[in-house]
Amino acid sequence: MSDERHVLVLPDRDAAQEVADALADRFGVAEEPQLVRDALAGEDDAEDAQWLVVVEDPDRRLDSAALDAFAAEYEGWLEAP
């Protein structure tokens, strides 16, 4: 069985960095989340890029609804698995 992984989608790098930094305090995430730039299909302009925060959750202890609400505070959302 593979590890659980949550992907939070944020509007820009600053929001993604803030979310990544806050995850440890808010949810007790031990492993550093991974930030990934996700250029929208067909868009070359960096302004149109979304940022993904990938959170590993091997023990499956993070609540998806809570993560979605947390991302919403930064105008983002939790990507459906």
Side-chain angles (χ1 to χ4, degrees):
M1 182 178 283
S2 65
D3 289 345
E4 181 77 8
R5 173 179 288 164
H6 303 281
V7 178
L8 304 174
V9 182
L10 285 304
D12 56 47
R13 189 182 201 301
D14 289 342
Q17 187 64 59
E18 285 184 45
V19 166
D21 292 344
L23 279 167
D25 292 337
R26 189 87 165 256
F27 294 96
V29 173
E31 189 172 326
E32 183 74 24
Q34 180 181 2
L35 270 61
V36 181
R37 182 178 176 273
D38 182 34
L40 299 176
E43 295 291 341
D44 293 328
D45 188 351
E47 294 300 313
D48 291 326
Q50 292 175 328
W51 282 80
L52 309 179
V53 177
V54 181
V55 184
E56 300 296 336
D57 184 20
D59 299 327
R60 297 175 184 265
R61 60 182 194 77
L62 298 176
D63 179 60
S64 295
L67 285 171
D68 189 46
F70 177 60
E73 294 174 23
Y74 296 87
E75 299 179 12
W77 66 89
L78 177 67
E79 188 70 25

